[in-house]
Coordinates of all heavy atoms in Angstrom, one line a residue:
M1279 N 167.1 153.3 58.2 CA 167.9 152.2 57.6 C 169.2 152.2 58.5 O 169.8 153.3 58.7 CB 168.2 152.5 56.2 CG 168.9 151.4 55.5 SD 167.8 150.0 55.1 CE 166.7 150.7 53.8
S1280 N 169.6 151.0 58.9 CA 170.8 150.9 59.7 C 171.7 149.8 59.1 O 171.2 148.9 58.5 CB 170.5 150.5 61.1 OG 169.7 151.5 61.7
T1281 N 173.0 150.0 59.2 CA 174.0 149.0 58.8 C 174.7 148.4 60.0 O 175.1 149.1 60.9 CB 175.0 149.6 57.8 OG1 174.3 150.2 56.7 CG2 176.0 148.6 57.3
F1282 N 174.8 147.0 60.0 CA 175.4 146.3 61.1 C 176.5 145.5 60.5 O 176.5 145.1 59.3 CB 174.4 145.5 61.8 CG 173.2 146.3 62.3 CD1 172.0 146.2 61.7 CD2 173.4 147.1 63.4 CE1 170.9 147.0 62.2 CE2 172.3 147.8 63.9 CZ 171.1 147.8 63.3
T1283 N 177.5 145.1 61.3 CA 178.6 144.3 60.9 C 178.5 142.9 61.4 O 178.2 142.6 62.5 CB 179.9 145.0 61.5 OG1 180.0 146.3 61.0 CG2 181.2 144.2 61.0
A1284 N 178.8 142.0 60.4 CA 178.7 140.5 60.7 C 179.5 140.2 61.9 O 180.7 140.6 62.0 CB 179.1 139.7 59.5
G1285 N 178.9 139.4 62.9 CA 179.6 138.9 64.0 C 179.8 139.8 65.2 O 180.2 139.4 66.3
D1286 N 179.5 141.1 65.0 CA 179.6 142.1 66.1 C 178.5 141.8 67.2 O 177.3 141.9 66.9 CB 179.5 143.5 65.6 CG 180.8 144.0 65.0 OD1 181.7 143.2 65.0 OD2 180.8 145.2 64.6
T1287 N 178.9 141.6 68.4 CA 178.0 141.5 69.5 C 178.4 142.3 70.7 O 177.8 142.4 71.7 CB 177.8 140.0 70.0 OG1 179.1 139.5 70.3 CG2 177.2 139.1 68.9
G1288 N 179.5 143.0 70.5 CA 180.1 143.8 71.6 C 179.3 145.1 71.9 O 179.3 145.6 73.0
K1289 N 178.7 145.7 70.8 CA 178.0 147.0 71.0 C 176.5 146.7 70.9 O 176.1 146.2 69.9 CB 178.5 148.0 70.0 CG 177.9 149.4 70.2 CD 178.5 150.4 69.3 CE 177.9 151.7 69.5 NZ 178.4 152.7 68.6
D1290 N 175.8 147.1 71.9 CA 174.3 146.9 71.9 C 173.7 147.8 70.9 O 174.2 148.9 70.5 CB 173.7 147.2 73.2 CG 174.1 146.2 74.3 OD1 174.7 145.2 74.0 OD2 173.9 146.5 75.5
F1291 N 172.5 147.4 70.4 CA 171.7 148.3 69.6 C 171.0 149.3 70.5 O 170.4 148.9 71.5 CB 170.6 147.5 68.8 CG 169.6 148.4 68.1 CD1 169.8 148.9 66.9 CD2 168.3 148.6 68.7 CE1 168.9 149.7 66.3 CE2 167.4 149.4 68.1 CZ 167.7 150.0 66.9
T1292 N 171.1 150.6 70.3 CA 170.4 151.6 71.1 C 169.7 152.6 70.2 O 170.1 152.8 69.1 CB 171.4 152.4 72.0 OG1 172.4 153.0 71.2 CG2 172.2 151.4 73.0
A1293 N 168.6 153.1 70.8 CA 167.9 154.1 70.0 C 167.1 155.0 71.0 O 166.8 154.6 72.1 CB 166.9 153.4 69.1
T1294 N 166.9 156.2 70.5 CA 166.0 157.1 71.3 C 164.7 157.3 70.5 O 164.8 157.6 69.3 CB 166.7 158.5 71.5 OG1 167.9 158.3 72.2 CG2 165.8 159.4 72.3
L1295 N 163.6 157.0 71.1 CA 162.3 157.1 70.5 C 161.7 158.5 70.8 O 161.6 158.9 71.9 CB 161.4 156.0 71.0 CG 161.9 154.6 70.9 CD1 160.9 153.6 71.4 CD2 162.4 154.3 69.5
N1296 N 161.4 159.2 69.7 CA 160.9 160.6 69.8 C 159.5 160.7 69.2 O 159.3 160.1 68.1 CB 161.9 161.5 69.1 CG 163.2 161.7 69.8 OD1 163.3 162.1 71.0 ND2 164.3 161.3 69.2
H1297 N 158.7 161.6 69.8 CA 157.5 162.1 69.1 C 158.0 163.3 68.3 O 158.8 164.1 68.8 CB 156.5 162.5 70.1 CG 155.9 161.4 71.0 ND1 155.1 160.5 70.5 CD2 156.1 161.1 72.3 CE1 154.8 159.6 71.4 NE2 155.4 160.0 72.5
V1298 N 157.5 163.5 67.1 CA 157.9 164.6 66.3 C 156.6 165.4 66.0 O 155.7 164.9 65.4 CB 158.5 164.1 65.0 CG1 158.9 165.3 64.1 CG2 159.8 163.3 65.2
D1299 N 156.7 166.7 66.3 CA 155.5 167.6 66.1 C 155.4 167.7 64.5 O 156.4 168.1 63.9 CB 155.8 169.0 66.7 CG 154.6 169.9 66.5 OD1 154.4 170.4 65.4 OD2 153.8 170.1 67.5
P1300 N 154.2 167.5 64.0 CA 154.1 167.5 62.5 C 154.3 168.9 61.9 O 154.6 169.0 60.7 CB 152.7 167.0 62.3 CG 152.0 167.1 63.5 CD 153.0 167.1 64.6
V1301 N 154.1 169.9 62.7 CA 154.2 171.3 62.2 C 155.6 171.8 62.4 O 156.3 172.3 61.4 CB 153.2 172.2 62.8 CG1 153.3 173.7 62.4 CG2 151.7 171.7 62.5
T1302 N 156.1 171.8 63.6 CA 157.4 172.4 63.9 C 158.5 171.5 63.7 O 159.7 171.9 63.7 CB 157.4 172.9 65.4 OG1 157.3 171.8 66.3 CG2 156.2 173.9 65.7
K1303 N 158.3 170.2 63.6 CA 159.3 169.2 63.5 C 160.2 169.0 64.7 O 161.2 168.4 64.7 CB 160.2 169.4 62.3 CG 159.4 169.6 61.0 CD 158.6 168.4 60.6 CE 157.9 168.6 59.3 NZ 156.7 167.9 59.1
V1304 N 159.7 169.6 65.8 CA 160.5 169.5 67.1 C 160.3 168.1 67.7 O 159.2 167.5 67.7 CB 160.0 170.5 68.1 CG1 160.6 170.3 69.5 CG2 160.3 171.9 67.6
K1305 N 161.4 167.5 68.1 CA 161.4 166.1 68.6 C 161.3 166.2 70.2 O 162.1 167.0 70.8 CB 162.7 165.4 68.3 CG 162.8 165.1 66.8 CD 164.1 164.4 66.5 CE 164.3 164.1 65.0 NZ 165.6 163.4 64.8
T1306 N 160.5 165.4 70.7 CA 160.3 165.3 72.2 C 160.4 163.8 72.5 O 159.7 162.9 71.9 CB 158.9 165.8 72.6 OG1 158.7 167.1 72.2 CG2 158.8 165.7 74.1
P1307 N 161.4 163.4 73.4 CA 161.5 162.0 73.8 C 160.2 161.4 74.3 O 159.5 162.0 75.0 CB 162.6 162.0 74.9 CG 163.3 163.3 74.8 CD 162.3 164.3 74.2
A1308 N 159.9 160.2 73.8 CA 158.7 159.5 74.3 C 159.0 159.0 75.7 O 160.1 158.5 76.1 CB 158.5 158.2 73.4
N1309 N 158.0 159.2 76.6 CA 158.1 158.7 78.0 C 157.6 157.2 78.0 O 156.5 156.9 77.7 CB 157.2 159.5 78.9 CG 157.4 159.1 80.4 OD1 157.9 158.0 80.7 ND2 157.0 160.0 81.3
L1310 N 158.6 156.4 78.2 CA 158.3 154.9 78.1 C 158.1 154.3 79.5 O 158.1 153.0 79.6 CB 159.5 154.2 77.4 CG 159.8 154.8 76.0 CD1 161.1 154.1 75.5 CD2 158.7 154.6 75.1
T1311 N 157.9 155.1 80.5 CA 157.7 154.5 81.8 C 156.5 153.5 81.9 O 155.4 153.8 81.4 CB 157.4 155.7 82.9 OG1 158.5 156.6 82.8 CG2 157.2 155.1 84.3
G1312 N 156.8 152.3 82.3 CA 155.8 151.2 82.4 C 155.5 150.6 81.1 O 154.7 149.7 81.0
A1313 N 156.2 150.9 80.0 CA 156.0 150.4 78.7 C 156.8 149.1 78.4 O 157.8 148.9 79.1 CB 156.2 151.4 77.6
T1314 N 156.4 148.4 77.4 CA 157.3 147.3 76.8 C 157.6 147.7 75.4 O 156.7 148.4 74.7 CB 156.6 145.9 76.9 OG1 155.4 146.0 76.2 CG2 156.4 145.5 78.3
V1315 N 158.7 147.3 74.9 CA 159.1 147.7 73.5 C 159.6 146.5 72.8 O 160.5 145.8 73.2 CB 160.2 148.8 73.6 CG1 160.6 149.2 72.2 CG2 159.8 150.0 74.4
A1316 N 159.0 146.3 71.6 CA 159.4 145.2 70.7 C 160.0 146.0 69.5 O 159.5 146.9 69.0 CB 158.2 144.4 70.2
V1317 N 161.2 145.5 69.1 CA 161.9 146.1 68.0 C 161.8 145.0 66.8 O 162.1 143.9 67.0 CB 163.4 146.4 68.3 CG1 164.0 147.0 67.1 CG2 163.4 147.4 69.5
H1318 N 161.4 145.5 65.7 CA 161.2 144.6 64.5 C 162.2 145.1 63.5 O 162.1 146.2 63.0 CB 159.8 144.7 64.0 CG 158.7 144.4 65.0 ND1 158.5 143.2 65.5 CD2 157.8 145.3 65.6 CE1 157.5 143.2 66.4 NE2 157.1 144.5 66.5
F1319 N 163.1 144.2 63.1 CA 164.1 144.5 62.1 C 163.7 143.8 60.8 O 163.3 142.6 60.9 CB 165.5 143.9 62.5 CG 166.1 144.6 63.7 CD1 165.9 144.0 65.0 CD2 166.8 145.8 63.6 CE1 166.5 144.6 66.1 CE2 167.4 146.4 64.7 CZ 167.2 145.8 66.0
A1320 N 163.8 144.4 59.7 CA 163.6 143.8 58.4 C 165.0 143.5 57.8 O 165.7 144.4 57.5 CB 162.8 144.7 57.5
T1321 N 165.3 142.2 57.8 CA 166.6 141.8 57.3 C 166.5 141.2 55.9 O 165.4 140.7 55.5 CB 167.3 140.8 58.3 OG1 166.7 139.5 58.1 CG2 167.1 141.2 59.7
P1322 N 167.6 141.0 55.2 CA 167.6 140.3 53.9 C 167.1 138.9 54.0 O 166.5 138.4 53.0 CB 169.0 140.4 53.4 CG 169.6 141.6 54.1 CD 168.9 141.6 55.4
D1323 N 167.2 138.3 55.2 CA 166.8 136.9 55.4 C 165.4 136.8 56.0 O 165.0 135.7 56.4 CB 167.8 136.1 56.2 CG 169.1 135.9 55.4 OD1 169.1 135.9 54.2 OD2 170.1 135.6 56.1
G1324 N 164.7 137.9 56.2 CA 163.4 137.9 56.8 C 163.4 138.6 58.1 O 164.4 139.2 58.5
P1325 N 162.3 138.7 58.8 CA 162.2 139.5 60.0 C 162.9 139.0 61.2 O 163.1 137.8 61.3 CB 160.6 139.6 60.2 CG 160.1 138.3 59.6 CD 161.0 138.1 58.4
L1326 N 163.3 139.9 62.0 CA 163.9 139.5 63.3 C 163.2 140.4 64.3 O 163.3 141.7 64.3 CB 165.4 139.8 63.3 CG 166.1 139.7 64.7 CD1 166.0 138.2 65.2 CD2 167.5 140.2 64.6
S1327 N 162.5 139.8 65.3 CA 161.7 140.6 66.3 C 162.3 140.3 67.7 O 162.5 139.1 68.0 CB 160.2 140.3 66.3 OG 159.7 140.7 65.1
V1328 N 162.6 141.3 68.4 CA 163.3 141.2 69.7 C 162.6 142.1 70.7 O 161.9 143.0 70.4 CB 164.8 141.5 69.7 CG1 165.5 140.5 68.7 CG2 165.0 142.9 69.3
T1329 N 162.8 141.8 72.0 CA 162.3 142.7 73.1 C 163.4 143.6 73.6 O 164.5 143.0 74.0 CB 161.7 141.9 74.2 OG1 160.6 141.1 73.7 CG2 161.2 142.8 75.3
A1330 N 163.3 144.9 73.5 CA 164.3 145.8 74.0 C 164.1 146.1 75.5 O 163.0 145.9 76.0 CB 164.2 147.1 73.2
T1331 N 165.2 146.5 76.2 CA 165.1 146.9 77.5 C 165.0 148.5 77.5 O 165.5 149.1 76.6 CB 166.2 146.5 78.4 OG1 167.5 147.0 77.8 CG2 166.3 145.0 78.5
L1332 N 164.4 149.0 78.6 CA 164.3 150.5 78.7 C 165.6 150.9 79.3 O 165.9 150.6 80.5 CB 163.2 150.9 79.6 CG 161.8 150.4 79.1 CD1 160.7 150.9 80.0 CD2 161.5 150.8 77.6
D1333 N 166.4 151.7 78.6 CA 167.7 152.2 79.1 C 167.4 153.4 80.0 O 168.0 153.5 81.1 CB 168.6 152.6 77.9 CG 170.1 152.6 78.2 OD1 170.5 151.7 79.1 OD2 170.8 153.4 77.7
D1334 N 166.6 154.3 79.5 CA 166.2 155.5 80.3 C 164.7 155.8 79.9 O 164.5 156.4 78.8 CB 167.1 156.7 80.1 CG 166.8 157.9 81.0 OD1 165.6 158.0 81.4 OD2 167.7 158.7 81.2
A1335 N 163.8 155.3 80.6 CA 162.4 155.4 80.2 C 161.9 156.8 80.0 O 161.2 157.1 79.0 CB 161.5 154.7 81.3
T1336 N 162.3 157.8 80.8 CA 161.8 159.1 80.6 C 162.5 159.9 79.5 O 162.0 160.8 79.0 CB 161.9 160.0 81.9 OG1 163.3 160.0 82.3 CG2 161.0 159.4 83.0
A1337 N 163.7 159.4 79.1 CA 164.4 160.0 78.0 C 164.1 159.2 76.7 O 164.6 159.6 75.6 CB 165.9 160.0 78.2
G1338 N 163.3 158.2 76.7 CA 162.9 157.5 75.5 C 163.9 156.6 74.9 O 163.9 156.2 73.7
T1339 N 164.9 156.2 75.7 CA 166.0 155.4 75.1 C 165.8 153.9 75.4 O 165.4 153.5 76.5 CB 167.4 155.8 75.7 OG1 167.4 155.8 77.1 CG2 167.7 157.2 75.2
I1340 N 166.1 153.1 74.4 CA 166.0 151.6 74.5 C 167.3 151.0 74.2 O 168.2 151.6 73.6 CB 164.9 151.1 73.6 CG1 165.2 151.4 72.1 CG2 163.5 151.6 74.0 CD1 164.3 150.7 71.1
R1341 N 167.5 149.7 74.5 CA 168.7 148.9 74.3 C 168.3 147.5 74.0 O 167.4 146.9 74.6 CB 169.6 149.1 75.5 CG 170.8 148.2 75.5 CD 171.7 148.5 76.8 NE 172.0 149.9 77.0 CZ 173.0 150.5 76.4 NH1 173.8 149.9 75.6 NH2 173.2 151.8 76.6
Y1342 N 169.1 146.9 73.1 CA 169.0 145.4 72.9 C 170.4 144.9 72.7 O 171.2 145.4 71.9 CB 168.2 145.1 71.6 CG 168.2 143.7 71.2 CD1 167.6 142.7 72.1 CD2 169.0 143.2 70.2 CE1 167.6 141.4 71.7 CE2 169.0 141.9 69.8 CZ 168.4 141.0 70.7 OH 168.4 139.6 70.4
A1343 N 170.7 143.9 73.6 CA 172.0 143.2 73.5 C 171.9 142.1 72.5 O 171.1 141.2 72.6 CB 172.4 142.6 74.8
W1344 N 172.7 142.1 71.4 CA 172.6 141.2 70.3 C 172.9 139.7 70.8 O 173.8 139.5 71.6 CB 173.7 141.5 69.2 CG 173.4 142.8 68.6 CD1 174.2 143.9 68.7 CD2 172.4 143.1 67.6 NE1 173.7 145.0 67.9 CE2 172.6 144.5 67.2 CE3 171.3 142.4 67.1 CZ2 171.7 145.1 66.3 CZ3 170.5 143.1 66.2 CH2 170.7 144.4 65.8
A1345 N 172.1 138.8 70.3 CA 172.4 137.4 70.6 C 173.5 137.0 69.5 O 173.7 137.6 68.5 CB 171.2 136.5 70.3
D1346 N 174.2 135.9 69.8 CA 175.4 135.5 69.0 C 175.0 135.3 67.5 O 175.7 135.6 66.6 CB 176.0 134.2 69.5 CG 176.8 134.4 70.8 OD1 177.1 135.6 71.1 OD2 177.1 133.5 71.5
T1347 N 173.7 134.8 67.3 CA 173.3 134.5 65.9 C 172.6 135.7 65.2 O 172.3 135.6 64.0 CB 172.4 133.3 65.9 OG1 171.3 133.5 66.7 CG2 173.2 132.1 66.3
D1348 N 172.3 136.8 65.9 CA 171.5 137.9 65.3 C 172.3 138.5 64.1 O 171.7 138.9 63.1 CB 171.2 139.0 66.3 CG 170.2 138.6 67.3 OD1 169.4 137.6 67.1 OD2 170.1 139.2 68.4
L1349 N 173.6 138.6 64.3 CA 174.3 139.3 63.2 C 175.2 138.4 62.5 O 176.4 138.6 62.2 CB 175.2 140.4 63.9 CG 174.4 141.6 64.5 CD1 175.3 142.6 65.2 CD2 173.5 142.3 63.5
S1350 N 174.6 137.3 62.0 CA 175.4 136.3 61.2 C 175.6 136.9 59.8 O 175.0 137.8 59.4 CB 174.6 135.0 61.1 OG 173.4 135.2 60.4
D1351 N 176.6 136.3 59.1 CA 176.9 136.7 57.8 C 175.7 136.8 56.8 O 175.6 137.7 56.0 CB 178.0 135.8 57.2 CG 179.4 136.0 57.8 OD1 179.6 137.1 58.4 OD2 180.2 135.1 57.8
A1352 N 174.9 135.8 57.0 CA 173.7 135.7 56.1 C 172.7 136.8 56.2 O 172.0 137.1 55.3 CB 173.0 134.3 56.3
R1353 N 172.8 137.5 57.4 CA 171.8 138.5 57.7 C 172.4 139.9 57.4 O 171.7 140.9 57.7 CB 171.4 138.5 59.1 CG 170.5 137.3 59.5 CD 170.0 137.5 60.9 NE 169.0 136.5 61.3 CZ 167.7 136.7 61.2 NH1 167.2 137.8 60.7 NH2 166.9 135.8 61.5
M1354 N 173.5 140.1 56.9 CA 174.2 141.4 56.7 C 173.6 142.2 55.6 O 172.9 141.7 54.8 CB 175.7 141.2 56.6 CG 176.3 140.7 57.9 SD 175.6 141.2 59.4 CE 175.7 142.9 59.4
R1355 N 174.0 143.4 55.5 CA 173.6 144.5 54.6 C 172.7 145.5 55.4 O 172.7 145.5 56.6 CB 172.8 144.0 53.4 CG 173.7 143.2 52.4 CD 173.0 142.8 51.2 NE 172.0 141.8 51.4 CZ 172.1 140.5 51.1 NH1 173.2 140.0 50.6 NH2 171.0 139.7 51.3
N1356 N 172.0 146.3 54.7 CA 171.2 147.3 55.4 C 169.9 146.7 55.9 O 169.2 146.0 55.2 CB 170.9 148.5 54.5 CG 172.1 149.3 54.1 OD1 173.0 149.4 54.9 ND2 172.2 149.8 52.9
W1357 N 169.5 147.2 57.1 CA 168.2 146.7 57.7 C 167.4 148.0 58.0 O 167.9 149.0 58.4 CB 168.5 146.0 59.1 CG 169.2 144.8 59.1 CD1 169.8 144.1 58.0 CD2 169.4 143.9 60.2 NE1 170.4 143.0 58.4 CE2 170.2 142.8 59.7 CE3 169.1 144.0 61.5 CZ2 170.6 141.8 60.6 CZ3 169.5 143.0 62.4 CH2 170.2 141.9 61.9
S1358 N 166.1 147.9 57.9 CA 165.2 148.9 58.4 C 164.6 148.3 59.7 O 164.7 147.1 59.9 CB 164.1 149.2 57.4 OG 163.3 148.1 57.1
W1359 N 164.2 149.2 60.6 CA 163.7 148.7 61.8 C 162.6 149.7 62.3 O 162.5 150.9 61.9 CB 164.8 148.6 62.9 CG 165.4 149.9 63.2 CD1 166.5 150.4 62.6 CD2 165.1 150.8 64.3 NE1 166.9 151.6 63.2 CE2 166.0 151.9 64.2 CE3 164.1 150.8 65.2 CZ2 165.9 152.9 65.1 CZ3 164.0 151.9 66.1 CH2 164.9 152.9 66.1
E1360 N 161.8 149.2 63.2 CA 160.8 150.0 63.9 C 160.6 149.5 65.3 O 160.9 148.3 65.6 CB 159.4 150.1 63.2 CG 158.7 148.7 63.2 CD 157.4 148.8 62.4 OE1 157.2 149.7 61.6 OE2 156.6 147.9 62.7
A1361 N 160.3 150.4 66.2 CA 160.0 150.0 67.6 C 158.5 150.1 67.9 O 157.9 151.2 67.6 CB 160.8 150.9 68.6
Q1362 N 157.9 149.1 68.4 CA 156.5 149.0 68.7 C 156.4 149.1 70.2 O 156.8 148.2 70.9 CB 155.8 147.8 68.2 CG 154.3 147.8 68.4 CD 153.7 146.6 67.8 OE1 154.1 145.5 67.9 NE2 152.6 146.9 67.0
V1363 N 155.8 150.2 70.7 CA 155.7 150.4 72.2 C 154.3 150.1 72.6 O 153.3 150.6 72.1 CB 156.0 151.9 72.5 CG1 155.9 152.2 74.0 CG2 157.5 152.3 72.1
T1364 N 154.2 149.3 73.7 CA 152.9 149.1 74.3 C 153.0 149.8 75.7 O 153.8 149.4 76.6 CB 152.7 147.6 74.6 OG1 152.7 146.9 73.3 CG2 151.3 147.3 75.2
Y1365 N 152.2 150.8 75.8 CA 152.2 151.7 77.0 C 151.5 150.9 78.1 O 150.7 150.0 77.9 CB 151.6 153.0 76.7 CG 152.5 153.9 75.8 CD1 152.2 153.9 74.4 CD2 153.6 154.6 76.2 CE1 152.9 154.6 73.5 CE2 154.3 155.3 75.4 CZ 154.0 155.4 74.0 OH 154.8 156.1 73.2
S1366 N 151.7 151.4 79.4 CA 151.0 150.8 80.5 C 149.5 150.9 80.4 O 148.7 150.1 80.9 CB 151.5 151.4 81.8 OG 151.3 152.8 81.8
S1367 N 149.0 151.9 79.6 CA 147.6 152.1 79.4 C 147.0 151.0 78.4 O 145.8 150.9 78.2 CB 147.3 153.5 78.8 OG 147.9 153.6 77.5
G1368 N 147.9 150.3 77.7 CA 147.5 149.3 76.7 C 147.5 149.9 75.3 O 147.4 149.2 74.3
K1369 N 147.7 151.2 75.2 CA 147.8 151.8 73.9 C 149.1 151.5 73.2 O 150.1 151.2 73.9 CB 147.6 153.3 74.0 CG 146.2 153.8 74.4 CD 146.1 155.2 74.3 CE 144.6 155.6 74.7 NZ 144.4 157.0 74.5
I1370 N 149.1 151.4 71.9 CA 150.3 151.0 71.1 C 150.8 152.2 70.2 O 149.9 152.8 69.6 CB 150.1 149.8 70.3 CG1 149.8 148.6 71.2 CG2 151.2 149.4 69.4 CD1 149.3 147.3 70.5
G1371 N 152.1 152.4 70.2 CA 152.6 153.4 69.3 C 153.8 152.8 68.6 O 154.6 152.0 69.2
T1372 N 154.0 153.2 67.3 CA 155.1 152.7 66.6 C 156.0 153.8 66.2 O 155.6 154.9 65.7 CB 154.6 152.0 65.3 OG1 153.8 150.9 65.7 CG2 155.8 151.4 64.5
F1373 N 157.3 153.6 66.4 CA 158.3 154.6 66.1 C 159.3 154.1 65.0 O 159.8 153.0 65.1 CB 159.2 155.0 67.3 CG 158.4 155.6 68.4 CD1 157.6 154.8 69.3 CD2 158.4 157.0 68.6 CE1 156.8 155.4 70.3 CE2 157.6 157.6 69.6 CZ 156.8 156.8 70.4
P1374 N 159.5 155.0 64.0 CA 160.4 154.6 62.9 C 161.9 154.7 63.4 O 162.2 155.3 64.3 CB 160.1 155.5 61.8 CG 159.5 156.7 62.4 CD 158.9 156.2 63.7

């Protein structure tokens, strides 16, 4: 769950996508080399899906520069989101 401020477009949305070992809970950055990433936000006014850029593919970091209307007053409050990665192999992985 993330909270965003109405009208803010100065700071990009950034995230690090990690694989988490189910036993040890150790996080390892996802290698996103050659991948595309769609970020799906669940907002109070309905879904918002965008394409993120790879900030550092080997470190698993992504970035999205907000459009002027993305953070309108009507869309405010808490949002949940997930990143859907399509790897160069065609396989798909989803990160919370």
Side-chain angles (χ1 to χ4, degrees):
M1279 191 74 68
S1280 298
T1281 302
F1282 303 103
T1283 302
D1286 280 2
T1287 57
K1289 186 175 181 183
D1290 295 348
F1291 171 81
T1292 58
T1294 300
L1295 307 184
N1296 292 297
H1297 295 288
V1298 180
D1299 184 285
V1301 176
T1302 65
K1303 307 298 183 209
V1304 172
K1305 295 180 181 180
T1306 305
N1309 185 341
L1310 304 175
T1311 303
T1314 58
V1315 180
V1317 181
H1318 306 290
F1319 296 96
T1321 79
D1323 289 340
L1326 172 66
S1327 294
V1328 299
T1329 301
T1331 58
L1332 303 180
D1333 205 33
D1334 184 338
T1336 58
T1339 57
I1340 61 170
R1341 175 177 304 276
Y1342 173 69
W1344 297 108
D1346 289 342
T1347 57
D1348 288 343
L1349 297 176
S1350 66
D1351 289 337
R1353 288 185 172 267
M1354 294 326 301
R1355 293 185 291 256
N1356 292 327
W1357 296 5
S1358 59
W1359 64 272
E1360 67 181 18
Q1362 186 177 48
V1363 177
T1364 302
Y1365 294 97
S1366 58
S1367 66
K1369 293 186 177 187
I1370 296 173
T1372 302
F1373 294 80

